[in-house]
């Protein structure tokens, strides 16, 4: 396998950083292909915890080359803070981190506009991360954006920046808000351009060469399938193509290059921000998931809503994104629930629904059709083989695999690097008798 994509199958926060970190050890390149600093990928190595918003999760592996592809929107301020933070912790990125010269830049006023647009939406606010993502991608689509290459050529971009800010100021003027100061933005971007300079490169050429040479490339998705701008719960989505469908566009690798797709799904579901969430549980079970899973946004600190596994969303992700294998995350966080529900379909106006509705208002009115599974009380942190899991957990995991029609090839049972169960052949068809209740190491 030379090109693998890891992406989230739910509404983000599935634990992608953790899997990318594991796979990065065997990869020559890790490349982010979409999103921006709205992501928050957590990697834990020993006692050390790293939270990455923009840098690819492969930066923690000393020999991996990390790339921010052309499909990402780059906030240079956040990027530099992140680089400085890693350097302080002894992680050197020289010669192994590059930003595409074609990547669009999140300008300071994109963040201001993100917040202004949200407040203008009032009750219909999307609950964005305020990281300027929508305005930056909006500028890209309306062909008014600034790219990393432009930052290196101040004389070229000044005129573009004036035109760009002029358009946003017209909106601010209508909303009765103060205008953006062009000179201040220009001054900041000049400084940022110089800091960015050593990292800016034609990363498409680098990746094409690496692919031709048979080097291993890992494409790291951010957010999740439910937040995909085309397939997610529009308009309660982010502004990019979150799945493997975005890899070719966001890196320059040919679409045919991708030969393995790993979907990441939590054993339950979380969502942060507004939008449909049919399996949300606002009772004690949801609260327990939130507590055991420490479900607070890595980027915004907002508490995440929690609920049961949604196979309607997962199947749609499998079918549209060509998932070869699933990594099921945070199974340990379900310990202690007496009953675990699994949503196999929705019901809307008395009809069974097997695919997410196009209109988010309909999606919101869907009620889940549940199967019910017995819970378990054991701590799963010490399980390293499938047969170490209590039988109830084995039964639940098999049911999740069956409703997705896709093999689960890995189960995570804790945040630390070594806490997972590899399943190269997927979950076995029959329960595997356990030996003893696993002990917490
Ligand atoms: P934006 O990407 O900041 O524009 O936010 C749009 C929607 O996507 C909001 O509901 C956010 O909460 C959600 N979102 C964006 N990034 C992430 C993420 O990394 N994890 C989970 N939700 C996210």
């Amino acid at each position: 396998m030379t090109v693998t994509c890891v992406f989230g199958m739910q509404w983000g926060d599935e634990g992608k950083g953790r899997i990318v970190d594991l796979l990065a050890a065997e990869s020559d390149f890790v490349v982010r292909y979409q999103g921006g600093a709205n992501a928050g990928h957590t990697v834990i190595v020993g006692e050390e915890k790293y939270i990455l918003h923009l840098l690819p999760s492969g930066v923690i592996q000393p020999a991996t080359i990390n790339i921010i592809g052309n499909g990402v929107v780059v906030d240079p301020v956040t990027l530099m803070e992140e680089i400085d933070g890693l350097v302080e912790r002894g992680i050197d990125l020289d010669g192994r981190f590059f930003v595409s010269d074609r990547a669009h830049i999140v300008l300071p006023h994109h963040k201001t506009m993100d917040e202004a647009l949200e407040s203008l939406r009032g009750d219909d606010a999307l609950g964005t991360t305020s990281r300027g993502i929508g305005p930056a991608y909006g500028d890209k689509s309306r062909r008014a954006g600034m790219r990393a290459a432009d930052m290196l050529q101040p004389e070229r971009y000044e005129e573009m920046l004036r035109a760009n800010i002029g358009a946003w100021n017209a909106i601010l003027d209508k909303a009765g808000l103060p205008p953006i100061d062009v000179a201040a933005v220009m001054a900041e971007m000049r400084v940022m351009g110089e800091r960015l300079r050593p990292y800016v490169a034609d990363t498409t050429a680098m990746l094409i060469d690496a692919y031709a040479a048979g080097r291993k490339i890992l494409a790291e998705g951010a957010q999740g399938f439910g937040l995909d701008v085309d397939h997610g719960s529009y308009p309660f989505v982010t502004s990019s193509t979150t799945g493997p469908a975005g890899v070719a566009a966001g890196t320059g690798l040919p679409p045919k290059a991708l030969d393995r797709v790993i979907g990441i799904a939590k054993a339950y579901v979380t969502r942060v921000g507004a939008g449909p969430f049919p399996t949300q549980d606002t009772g004690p079970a949801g609260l327990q998931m939130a507590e055991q899973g420490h479900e607070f946004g890595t980027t915004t600190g907002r508490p995440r809503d929690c609920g049961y596994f949604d196979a309607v969303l997962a199947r749609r992700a499998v079918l549209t994104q060509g998932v070869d294998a699933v990594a099921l995350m945070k199974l340990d966080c379900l310990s202690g629930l007496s009953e675990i529900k699994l949503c196999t379909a929705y019901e809307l106006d008395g009809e069974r629904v097997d695919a997410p509705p196009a209109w988010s208002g309909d999606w919101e009115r869907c009620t889940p059709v549940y199967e019910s599974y017995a819970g378990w009380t054991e701590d799963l942190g010490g399980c390293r083989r499938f047969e170490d899991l209590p039988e109830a957990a084995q039964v639940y995991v098999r049911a999740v695999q069956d409703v997705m029609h896709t093999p689960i090839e890995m189960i995570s049972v804790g945040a630390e690097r070594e806490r997972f169960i590899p399943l190269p052949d997927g979950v076995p068809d029959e329960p595997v008798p356990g030996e003893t209740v696993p002990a917490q190491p």
Side-chain angles (χ1 to χ4, degrees):
M1 297 294 169
T2 56
V3 187
T4 300
C5 173
V6 168
F7 82 108
M9 295 173 65
Q10 295 160 331
W11 276 292
D13 310 314
E14 297 91 353
K16 298 175 287 291
R18 163 98 193 280
I19 302 297
V20 172
D21 174 56
L22 279 175
L23 295 176
E26 314 157 1
S27 303
D28 301 306
F29 288 77
V30 178
V31 54
R32 282 262 323 253
Y33 56 90
Q34 48 73 231
N38 48 350
H41 294 170
T42 308
V43 181
I44 296 177
V45 185
E47 300 289 297
E48 298 287 318
K49 183 172 174 179
Y50 301 91
I51 294 177
L52 304 168
H53 299 286
L54 263 170
L55 286 171
S57 301
V59 287
I60 316 299
Q61 300 285 347
T64 311
I65 297 176
N66 291 271
I67 288 180
I68 291 186
N70 58 278
V72 175
V73 286
V74 181
D75 174 356
V77 180
T78 306
L79 180 64
M80 291 309 156
E81 279 170 10
E82 233 165 79
I83 291 176
D84 292 346
L86 286 187
V87 170
E88 261 171 41
R89 293 170 77 173
I91 295 181
D92 185 14
L93 296 178
D94 269 2
R96 61 181 203 96
F97 168 64
F98 302 95
V99 179
S100 167
D101 48 8
R102 284 134 172 108
H104 277 250
I105 298 295
V106 176
L107 297 162
H109 55 282
H110 286 148
K111 291 178 264 187
T112 315
M113 290 310 303
D114 197 355
E115 286 181 359
L117 291 169
E118 277 286 84
S119 73
L120 288 172
R121 285 185 194 112
D123 288 346
D124 298 324
L126 307 177
T128 72
T129 58
S130 309
R131 297 300 178 110
I133 305 300
Y137 275 116
D139 273 354
K140 175 179 178 175
S141 295
R142 66 183 187 90
R143 292 149 293 179
M146 174 185 287
R147 306 197 292 177
D150 302 324
M151 301 266 292
L152 312 185
Q153 309 258 8
E155 69 287 355
R156 265 201 219 161
Y157 77 69
E158 285 202 16
E159 205 180 312
M160 290 164 59
L161 200 59
R162 273 184 203 287
N164 175 300
I165 291 177
W168 286 117
N169 276 345
I171 298 177
L172 289 175
D173 188 42
K174 273 195 187 145
L177 294 166
I180 298 152
D181 178 353
V182 181
V185 174
M186 278 188 189
E188 187 174 344
M189 287 303 103
R190 254 191 224 107
V191 173
M192 283 298 142
E194 283 316 304
R195 288 223 55 199
L196 209 56
R197 192 178 288 278
Y199 304 108
V200 178
D202 179 356
T203 57
T204 296
M206 292 169 75
L207 288 167
I208 289 171
D209 287 350
Y211 173 56
R215 315 268 317 263
K216 285 195 171 179
I217 300 169
L218 186 61
E220 175 181 18
Q223 292 80 51
F225 177 73
L227 294 169
D228 185 277
V229 69
D230 286 282
H231 299 288
S233 50
Y234 194 89
F236 302 100
V237 292
T238 191
S239 303
S240 62
T241 300
T242 55
V247 173
T251 63
L253 282 166
K256 281 184 185 168
L258 200 57
D259 47 19
R260 185 160 163 83
V261 173
I262 302 175
I264 315 294
K266 269 196 277 220
Y268 51 100
V269 175
T270 60
R271 179 157 201 169
V272 58
F277 186 0
T279 63
Q280 183 180 358
D281 187 290
T282 52
L287 280 180
Q288 194 172 325
M289 292 172 204
E291 262 169 40
Q292 294 188 179
H294 307 291
E295 297 295 354
F296 292 92
T298 320
T299 301
T300 58
R302 292 179 290 180
R304 299 176 186 141
D305 297 327
C306 296
Y308 294 106
F309 191 91
D310 183 340
V312 179
L313 182 64
R315 275 196 307 258
R316 188 73 163 196
V318 163
L319 291 173
T320 59
Q321 308 300 303
V323 179
D324 296 303
V326 172
L328 192 70
M329 310 304 287
K330 288 188 149 183
L331 184 66
D332 54 303
C333 299
L334 294 180
S335 290
L337 293 179
S338 54
E339 180 198 22
I340 299 175
K341 294 182 194 170
L342 173 59
C343 164
T344 54
Y346 301 149
E347 225 175 66
L348 180 64
D349 299 328
E351 302 277 330
R352 185 186 159 97
V353 174
D354 285 304
W359 186 47
S360 60
D362 280 341
W363 198 341
E364 244 158 45
R365 291 193 305 115
C366 284
T367 52
V369 176
Y370 280 128
E371 282 177 358
S372 173
Y373 290 85
W376 58 89
T377 52
E378 293 89 337
D379 183 332
L380 307 187
C383 300
R384 296 291 174 272
R385 301 169 307 165
F386 190 68
E387 55 267 40
D388 293 340
L389 292 172
E391 196 175 324
Q394 293 187 22
V395 170
Y396 173 67
V397 170
R398 187 175 307 103
V400 173
Q401 174 173 276
D402 289 349
V403 287
M404 290 190 297
H405 310 295
T406 308
I408 293 174
E409 293 192 3
M410 192 253 198
I411 300 170
S412 96
V413 288
E416 294 79 6
R417 242 186 194 170
E418 68 286 356
R419 294 198 175 199
F420 71 94
I421 300 173
L423 290 162
D425 301 317
V427 174
D429 287 339
E430 297 298 324
V432 183
E435 286 159 15
T436 48
V437 171
Q440 174 72 13

